Amino acid sequence: MTELKTQILCDDQNGLEQAASILSDGGLVAFPTETVYGLGADACNGHAVASVYAAKGRPSFNPLIVHVADLETAKRFAQFDKTALDLVGAFWPGPVSLVLPLAKNHGLSELVTAGLDTVAIRIPAHETAQALLKAFDGPLAAPSANPSGRISPTSAGHVSSDMDGIIDAVVDGGKCKVGIESTILKIEDDRVSLLRAGGLPVEAVEACLGHAIAKPQDPKTPQSPGQLQSHYAPNAAVRLNATSVESNEVLLGFGADVKGTVLNLSATGDMIEAAANLFAYMRNIDGIAGVEKSIAISPIPMTGLGLAINDRLKRAAAPRD
């Protein structure tokens, strides 16, 4: 990535307006929540979301948590059943994210959901996060603002030490009060499962519901999205690292001068562009392949976002159950 001059913004009206403008232009802004500092990007802008993965050096496209200002906004992106609304009433704003079915016409980038039919969403309680979300007036995808695998940041100084010159700005809103990531709960048909322990104690969730919830060690507990090897499979069979295309295949290309390409993730070899296009193009080419053809995919370098792209393509090509 081209090195940036990372701005440190105050959490006053002027700073928040600058941050919102950067986000609207597709930039990356770290901001405080009550849990940890998040690396914010417009959740409806695929290129911006891909830039988050690039900035973090994230090796795979796991679903990202969408942050919104209020329940009315959340309902534009997710479907809430009675159980979900009970938890919302008890714990939002707060350090808990709910994994819910996507709403129709949600408009989120497929990189945010990792191509799944669910979205992880929450309303943060931090005053600065709330003010930024209102100034931006939209959903922010915001994983922790640190390089993948590093310790999550709980101050603007932590973010600056890890991300200076990589992201556009940091909004300094002081130290995070909770200091660990949000609890993640999956709600499906009014059943609640714990996907990640975090800032909201499980005991509080169970007290609200009046019963125990499934824990990660329980055999029936759903795993975190993206962990099943064949999870991202299209209907058509997939062949990776194809340097030519057979008569019974359609080719998803990458880079310039790829002969026989039906769709090209990035004709210029731009990894961020390829990442932003990945899930939508996989759906499109699966429809083009239909029942008679399979999908061939050009080699993609194992560098930068190529690691994450190849991770998802490997899952798509895995043997089916």
Side-chain angles (χ1 to χ4, degrees), residues 12 21 26 31 35 47 58 66 70 83-84 99 106 109 120 144 157 178 201 206 213 215 249 261 285 290 297 308 317:
D12 56 14
S21 178
F31 64 95
T35 57
H47 192 277
R58 200 160 179 165
V66 172
D70 50 48
T83 297
V99 177
H106 54 81
S109 163
S144 57
V178 175
E206 292 178 333
I213 63 173
K215 308 298 196 303
E249 294 177 326
T261 298
I285 203 161
I297 301 177

Side-chain angles (χ1 to χ4, degrees), residues 17-303:
E17 287 177 355
Q18 289 185 64
S21 178
I22 292 168
L23 291 163
S24 295
D25 289 339
L28 305 183
V29 176
F31 64 95
T33 76
E34 70 277 22
T35 57
V36 299
Y37 271 69
L39 182 52
D42 182 351
C44 297
N45 182 332
H47 192 277
V49 176
S51 295
V52 169
Y53 286 100
K56 287 178 64 68
R58 200 160 179 165
S60 61
F61 295 133
N62 294 321
L64 302 179
I65 296 172
V66 172
H67 295 64
V68 295
D70 50 48
L71 181 59
E72 182 180 359
T73 304
K75 287 181 177 179
R76 290 164 44 196
F77 306 107
Q79 300 177 50
F80 289 78
D81 61 17
K82 180 182 181 303
T83 297
L85 290 173
D86 288 344
L87 292 171
V88 166
F91 302 118
W92 276 5
V96 59
S97 301
L98 304 181
V99 177
L100 301 167
L102 280 165
K104 292 182 179 179
N105 303 314
H106 54 81
L108 296 171
S109 163
E110 287 197 278
L111 274 184
V112 170
T113 63
L116 302 176
D117 57 5
T118 55
V119 60
I121 194 164
R122 83 176 182 105
I123 300 175
H126 197 288
E127 290 182 2
T128 301
Q130 277 283 319
L132 177 59
L133 286 162
K134 290 173 183 175
F136 176 64
D137 193 26
L140 293 179
S144 57
N146 57 284
S148 184
R150 297 287 297 275
I151 299 170
S152 295
T154 55
S155 72
H158 294 161
V159 179
S160 295
S161 67
D162 282 341
M163 309 295 279
D164 186 46
I166 299 174
I167 65 176
D168 295 281
V170 182
V171 177
D172 188 348
K175 293 183 178 180
C176 303
K177 293 181 179 179
V178 175
I180 58 173
E181 289 87 350
S182 64
T183 299
I184 301 180
L185 303 173
K186 182 175 183 179
I187 303 172
E188 188 172 25
D189 298 327
D190 286 309
R191 297 190 303 272
V192 180
S193 301
L194 177 69
L195 296 187
R196 182 180 75 185
L200 178 69
V202 173
E203 292 82 359
V205 176
E206 292 178 333
C208 172
L209 296 173
H211 59 77
I213 63 173
K215 308 298 196 303
Q217 64 267 30
D218 293 346
K220 293 183 180 180
T221 300
Q223 297 300 301
S224 295
Q227 297 199 341
L228 297 177
Q229 186 171 353
S230 185
H231 199 86
Y232 297 89
N235 292 315
V238 175
R239 180 170 69 92
L240 303 180
N241 299 313
T243 56
S244 62
V245 58
E246 305 296 332
S247 60
N248 65 333
E249 294 177 326
V250 290
L251 179 64
L252 179 61
F254 175 81
D257 302 322
V258 181
K259 295 181 179 179
T261 298
V262 174
L263 293 173
N264 196 318
L265 290 169
S266 175
T268 62
D270 184 322
M271 289 294 194
I272 291 179
E273 180 184 17
N277 288 334
L278 179 61
F279 290 112
Y281 280 27
M282 285 294 290
R283 290 174 186 268
N284 290 345
I285 203 161
D286 191 36
I288 293 169
V291 297
E292 296 182 354
K293 293 192 174 185
S294 57
I295 300 168
I297 301 177
S298 294
I300 297 173
M302 291 287 287
T303 57

